[in-house]
Amino acid sequence: MTETDIKSQTAAVIPAYQDEKHIGDIARRTRERLDHVLVVDDGSTDQTEQRAREAGAEVIVHAQNQGKGEAIKTGLAHWLGAADSSGRRQDRQITWVILLDSDGQHLPEEIDRFLLAAASVTQPMFFIGNRMEDVARMPLARRIVNRYMSAQISRVCGQKIPDTQCGYRMLHREIIPDMLGGGHRFDYETEALIIASRKGYRIESVPISTVYTDQVSKIHPGRDSLRFFKMMRRYRRLGT
């Protein structure tokens, strides 16, 4: 299948929360590359929804903040057809889904790298961005933590994933039903890798740029770290 064929069958999900500053630009640039772009506004109280709609994206709004994991699952379910309230299941043509953040850390122009990778495979795959080949612009503390966590998660997954903390991803439609469970917040992205691995899917890395500008992390270090370590302990007990 050619890259053009893949592109016509690919949709984007952009989870967003309180990101009126960036979401319009990110949604617009994503729309320049894909016809199907969905922003999931996770209970924002600013102009996130309005800016996304003005940029031409479809928008689903959570009435209250539920966490990044739930926003991603809402988007995946939508493209799978499970969240179509009309019951028409109109999105059957979608074969691949791209996940990218709303704050500018992921360049929509690099969607093409994922499309090219998908065009080269003949089976359902899970692709994840890899910033670790471009670490000069990554803060030292973030680099150290990322490498440590990636090593730990790779061990649990049973396959090498250089940048497990990257939210820029692309997955085949066949994988989506298994992705609708798991954590609710930032722990979801790690758990998704473990679940996909244990279902037998290969996770391949796609080199992307490292971007740090004025983003303010929405991660709560204490709370989210505790969730992470509890989850890792649970999966280690379950074994491989």
Side-chain angles (χ1 to χ4, degrees), residues 152-194:
Q152 297 300 310
I153 296 165
S154 292
R155 188 172 297 116
V156 173
C157 288
Q159 52 184 318
K160 184 175 177 57
I161 309 169
D163 189 2
T164 59
Q165 303 310 292
C166 185
Y168 208 168
R169 303 174 176 197
M170 181 178 188
L171 56 155
H172 191 275
R173 179 190 190 88
E174 184 176 304
I175 304 174
I176 292 177
D178 293 315
M179 297 293 101
L180 300 181
H184 304 294
R185 296 189 178 275
F186 290 95
D187 53 332
Y188 169 82
E189 291 181 300
T190 295
E191 193 162 8
L193 298 175
I194 298 173

Side-chain angles (χ1 to χ4, degrees), residues 24-228:
D25 179 58
I26 296 302
R28 176 185 56 77
R29 287 158 59 195
T30 304
R31 283 277 292 123
E32 289 174 355
R33 276 148 185 84
L34 298 174
D35 293 333
H36 308 287
V37 177
L38 173 68
V39 171
V40 181
D41 180 351
D42 189 31
S44 300
T45 57
D46 62 3
Q47 297 296 309
T48 295
E49 177 189 0
Q50 180 180 338
R51 299 287 181 267
R53 292 192 190 280
E54 290 172 349
E58 185 176 355
V59 182
I60 293 176
V61 179
H62 286 170
Q64 60 185 18
N65 181 257
Q66 299 180 37
K68 186 179 183 183
E70 287 302 311
I72 291 172
K73 285 185 273 188
T74 292
L76 292 176
H78 173 81
W79 291 125
L80 187 64
D84 182 8
S85 61
S86 70
R88 288 180 286 110
R89 307 179 76 86
Q90 61 189 6
D91 299 307
R92 288 296 186 183
Q93 75 275 16
I94 300 302
T95 304
W96 294 90
V97 177
I98 290 268
L99 305 174
L100 68 157
D101 288 351
S102 63
D103 60 4
Q105 287 197 58
H106 303 148
L107 302 178
E109 293 74 19
E110 295 186 337
I111 286 174
D112 295 344
R113 300 187 182 188
F114 288 87
L115 297 176
L116 182 61
S120 68
V121 301
T122 57
Q123 58 186 340
M125 295 284 288
F126 191 129
F127 295 101
I128 183 170
N130 178 17
R131 299 162 295 177
M132 303 311 288
E133 296 180 9
D134 181 30
V135 296
R137 287 172 287 183
M138 183 178 291
L140 179 60
R142 186 70 62 89
R143 192 186 315 172
I144 292 170
V145 170
N146 197 352
R147 283 182 169 151
Y148 169 78
M149 294 180 73
S150 294
Q152 297 300 310
I153 296 165
S154 292
R155 188 172 297 116
V156 173
C157 288
Q159 52 184 318
K160 184 175 177 57
I161 309 169
D163 189 2
T164 59
Q165 303 310 292
C166 185
Y168 208 168
R169 303 174 176 197
M170 181 178 188
L171 56 155
H172 191 275
R173 179 190 190 88
E174 184 176 304
I175 304 174
I176 292 177
D178 293 315
M179 297 293 101
L180 300 181
H184 304 294
R185 296 189 178 275
F186 290 95
D187 53 332
Y188 169 82
E189 291 181 300
T190 295
E191 193 162 8
L193 298 175
I194 298 173
I195 292 171
S197 295
R198 296 195 171 189
K199 291 291 183 177
Y201 293 105
R202 182 67 190 164
I203 299 173
E204 293 286 348
S205 295
V206 175
I208 63 168
S209 302
T210 298
V211 180
Y212 285 98
T213 55
D214 62 346
Q215 300 94 346
V216 177
S217 176
K218 299 180 179 72
I219 294 176
H220 295 268
R223 183 189 67 191
D224 290 320
S225 294
L226 182 60
R227 282 198 186 99
F228 170 79

